[in-house]
Amino acid sequence: MKLRQLKLKQRMILILGIMALIQTGFIGLFALHYLERSLDEQIGQRALDVAKTIAAMPDVIQAVEQKDSLYLQPLSISLAKTTRARFVVIGDNDGIRLAHPRPEKIGHSMADDDGDTGYPALIEGHGYIAKAVGSLGWSMRGKAPVISADGNIVGLISVGYDLNRVSEIIQRYRLTLILVILGSFIVSAAIAVWFANHFKKAIFGLEPEQIARLFDEQRATLESVREGIIAINSAGEITTINQTAIETLGLPKNGSLIGRKIDEVLPDSCMLDVLNTGEPQFDQEVWRGDHCIIANRLPLKQGDTITGAVSSFRRKDELDMVSQQLTRIQQYADTLRSQSHEYSNKLHTIAGLIQIGASDKALQLIGQETQSHQALIKLLMKAVPDPVLAGCLLGKYNRAREMGLTLVIDPESEMTSLPEKLPREQLVSIIGNLIDNALEATLKHHGNEGRVLLAMTDLGNDLIFEIEDQGPGIPLQQQDKIFEKGFSSKTNDGHGYGLHLVKNLLDKLCGTITIESGSAGGSRFTVYIPKNKK
């Protein structure tokens, strides 16, 4: 089975166990080797010290000079027992044995056993340590020269200690080491199980491959959304930022922003406030250069601990564009609905007149309807050649008739010089919202048969639109508040946004709007839009 096929817990147990086994084994082998060398050195030094001590004995020096094997043979055996050495061998200056645990070896060269001639001791006069196998087996030997009173080297003392004791000690430690290795493996496995459970809990029980896949999905998701997203950790360092955020904020694209402090990248950011207080912020307007940004900021929490903050934002003009498009769609829907409803009523009336035999009345109604629409279409074609604005006005005309009202367009109106750069969706949003407000105010105050007047002119440097209703009028103290977001004289929800949108659109077009009392007691809104935006 491949390692990648195992679960994370199994992998961690296996890897940590193998690591513990390797580490403990390596340390154990090193310890055994070091112990063996240390024991060898200690035994060898002891053998050398004993050899030097024997070589310095006057009786031994005299007997070696005289090559008195009869005296040296029992003495060597006695010294070996006293020093607990395996053997004490004494030789003359030619390396010929004068004393040996085996009497038959006396008179033979000391090099017969291991090839060691004792050169450093016999020629250079230095004691040394050697590990070799001889006629008595493996032993650690210390060899020292026997020096006469006049300074001549007259012989050699070789003291050997058996290494079987060293092997026994090493074997005992080797068994202990194996038990330690097994114990370390079991402990490591237990720690691995605990750590794997804790780690799996911290990563919500996911496997590494799942985390990698989620990371790729998150990165792709962040780059696919049209909102800018920035996330920071508890230290205020940027951990996540997508390309949209970089482009919206005008940040450098060639440098890495991950890991940098948010107050270094965006000195005016309020994300640190969210990090410190833990309070979310919604729909905050922030100016970045010459454009406004709508931002939402939320704290990131693990339990009750704040671990960071995330901010999502988008340019306000993009949101306004979406709102304008929705308004335009709503206007088209209202136009179609009002036309459908109006023509349905007309058709039912005509059908009823035909059924009761009043064909003349039916023809007269058809003529009036055709004449009315033809006159309006002729006026719009002449005064408003732009199809978008003309379509908006035609839709509002039909909606007014559906409400039992009349939208009167001044026949002297003229709007033939609309600038090419003027966004048509913004223009119809402004005019459409003002007409809708005028119709609702007229219907509420005047009832059916009320009128809304519209006059347009493009003479001079401005486009001028006048919308006059027959509503109750707007008190002077409210004229500065009606353009605020959410302000409305109506009690039901869903109002207070139309005039706010009108004001925002006019600000973008560098236009203005004035309010005054109308001739019929209502209000007159006058819109001025410059043809050439400064």
Side-chain angles (χ1 to χ4, degrees):
M1 180 181 293
K2 296 182 179 180
L3 184 61
R4 293 178 63 89
Q5 295 177 342
L6 299 176
K7 297 293 184 180
L8 178 61
K9 182 187 295 187
Q10 297 171 338
R11 285 189 239 174
M12 295 183 71
I13 295 174
L14 181 61
I15 292 174
L16 290 178
I18 292 176
M19 287 180 60
L21 191 64
I22 294 175
Q23 290 176 351
T24 310
F26 177 78
I27 294 174
L29 291 176
F30 174 78
L32 289 176
H33 178 71
Y34 182 78
L35 177 63
E36 185 177 6
R37 288 190 58 184
S38 297
L39 291 175
D40 287 347
E41 290 177 359
Q42 291 178 12
I43 293 175
Q45 188 62 43
R46 181 178 180 183
L48 180 60
D49 292 341
V50 172
K52 287 181 177 180
T53 301
I54 296 173
M57 296 172 63
D59 293 343
V60 173
I61 297 174
Q62 183 178 2
V64 170
E65 286 180 325
Q66 298 175 358
K67 299 183 180 181
D68 188 358
S69 296
L70 295 177
Y71 174 77
L72 294 174
Q73 174 66 15
L75 179 62
S76 66
I77 295 175
S78 175
L79 290 173
K81 291 180 179 180
T82 303
T83 59
R84 296 183 180 181
R86 184 173 185 181
F87 61 84
V88 175
V89 177
I90 303 175
D92 60 14
N93 57 353
D94 294 324
I96 303 301
R97 298 186 185 95
L98 299 177
H100 193 276
R102 294 180 180 178
E104 65 272 14
K105 295 289 184 177
I106 297 175
H108 296 282
S109 174
M110 297 175 69
D112 292 347
D113 291 335
D114 55 10
D116 186 357
T117 61
Y119 175 82
L122 293 175
I123 304 301
E124 298 180 355
H126 299 306
Y128 66 96
I129 299 173
K131 182 180 181 180
V133 57
S135 60
L136 299 177
W138 276 100
S139 61
M140 183 63 70
R141 305 173 182 184
K143 296 187 179 185
V146 179
I147 301 176
S148 64
D150 55 4
N152 295 322
I153 300 174
V154 297
L156 176 68
I157 304 297
S158 177
V159 178
Y161 281 89
D162 194 355
L163 291 180
N164 291 334
R165 179 62 178 168
V166 175
S167 300
E168 292 176 1
I169 295 174
I170 296 300
Q171 186 64 31
R172 186 173 71 246
Y173 276 98
R174 183 179 290 111
L175 179 61
T176 303
L177 178 63
I178 293 175
L179 295 177
V180 170
I181 291 175
L182 292 177
S184 298
F185 180 80
I186 294 173
V187 172
S188 298
I191 294 175
V193 172
W194 172 83
F195 181 73
N197 290 331
H198 177 75
F199 189 75
K200 288 276 285 184
K201 183 179 179 181
I203 60 176
F204 304 102
L206 299 175
E207 294 294 322
E209 293 78 9
Q210 294 175 310
I211 296 175
R213 185 170 61 253
L214 288 175
F215 177 78
D216 291 337
E217 292 176 357
Q218 180 197 44
R219 182 172 55 185
T221 301
L222 287 176
E223 295 302 333
S224 64
V225 297
R226 297 187 61 183
E227 287 196 351
I229 297 177
I230 297 179
I232 61 174
N233 58 18
S234 58
E237 299 171 344
I238 298 176
T239 57
T240 301
I241 183 169
N242 64 352
Q243 192 64 30
T244 304
I246 295 175
E247 295 174 354
T248 302
L249 299 174
L251 299 176
K253 299 180 181 180
N254 52 357
S256 177
L257 300 175
I258 303 299
R260 294 184 58 183
K261 294 286 188 178
I262 186 65
D263 52 356
E264 296 178 1
V265 179
L266 298 171
D268 55 348
S269 175
C270 295
M271 294 185 69
L272 293 179
D273 296 338
V274 177
L275 193 64
N276 294 329
T277 63
E279 296 295 330
Q281 299 176 358
F282 297 103
D283 298 330
Q284 300 292 311
E285 293 190 0
V286 180
W287 284 94
R288 179 74 178 177
D290 59 349
H291 58 268
C292 185
I293 294 174
I294 304 297
N296 295 297
R297 307 180 185 98
L298 293 173
L300 300 176
K301 295 183 178 181
Q302 284 188 353
D304 296 330
T305 304
I306 299 176
T307 59
V310 62
S311 174
S312 63
F313 50 89
R314 196 166 185 175
R315 289 182 57 166
K316 186 177 180 182
D317 52 3
E318 293 183 7
L319 297 176
D320 289 343
M321 185 177 296
V322 173
S323 177
Q324 293 162 18
Q325 291 174 349
L326 292 175
T327 300
R328 189 173 175 182
I329 292 172
Q330 182 64 42
Q331 291 171 349
Y332 291 157
D334 290 343
T335 299
L336 294 174
R337 180 175 54 81
S338 61
Q339 287 181 344
S340 174
H341 183 70
E342 181 183 3
Y343 283 110
S344 176
N345 291 335
K346 298 294 184 182
L347 288 174
H348 290 159
T349 302
I350 294 171
L353 291 173
I354 294 174
Q355 288 177 359
I356 64 176
S359 302
D360 294 340
K361 294 292 184 179
L363 292 174
Q364 182 181 356
L365 180 60
I366 294 172
Q368 290 176 353
E369 183 64 24
T370 304
Q371 183 179 1
S372 175
H373 272 81
Q374 288 298 325
L376 176 62
I377 293 173
K378 183 178 180 181
L379 173 61
L380 292 178
M381 290 181 63
K382 176 184 177 182
V384 189
D386 186 83
V388 177
L389 180 57
C392 174
L393 296 179
L394 181 59
K396 297 304 178 185
Y397 176 85
N398 291 326
R399 184 166 185 265
R401 296 189 63 178
E402 179 188 1
M403 297 170 66
L405 304 175
T406 303
L407 175 61
V408 180
I409 301 177
D410 189 346
E412 300 298 327
S413 296
E414 185 174 357
M415 191 60 59
T416 58
S417 301
L418 289 179
E420 291 292 335
K421 295 183 178 179
L422 177 63
R424 298 301 190 265
E425 67 276 3
Q426 296 183 10
L427 178 62
V428 298
S429 292
I430 295 171
I431 305 304
N433 276 291
L434 291 175
I435 294 176
D436 285 341
N437 284 346
L439 292 174
E440 291 178 3
T442 301
L443 181 63
K444 180 179 179 181
H445 182 70
H446 200 277
N448 292 338
E449 305 300 329
R451 299 193 310 165
V452 173
L453 305 179
L454 171 64
M456 304 172 288
T457 180
D458 56 4
L459 296 178
N461 297 324
D462 296 327
L463 305 177
I464 303 174
F465 298 85
E466 288 186 359
I467 297 97
E468 183 177 339
D469 60 50
Q470 293 180 336
I474 301 174
L476 185 62
Q477 62 271 20
Q478 291 187 1
Q479 290 184 4
D480 293 334
K481 297 182 179 180
I482 60 174
F483 297 107
E484 296 179 1
K485 185 177 181 180
F487 180 84
S488 176
S489 60
K490 305 178 181 65
T491 57
N492 52 330
D493 295 333
H495 296 278
Y497 296 94
L499 291 179
H500 175 70
L501 178 60
V502 168
K503 187 65 170 62
N504 287 342
L505 293 175
L506 285 174
D507 289 341
K508 290 182 180 180
L509 299 176
C510 299
T512 58
I513 184 171
T514 62
I515 307 172
E516 56 187 354
S517 298
S519 58
S523 300
R524 181 187 299 118
F525 289 81
T526 305
V527 173
Y528 301 88
I529 301 175
K531 294 180 179 179
N532 297 318
K533 182 180 178 182
K534 296 181 180 181

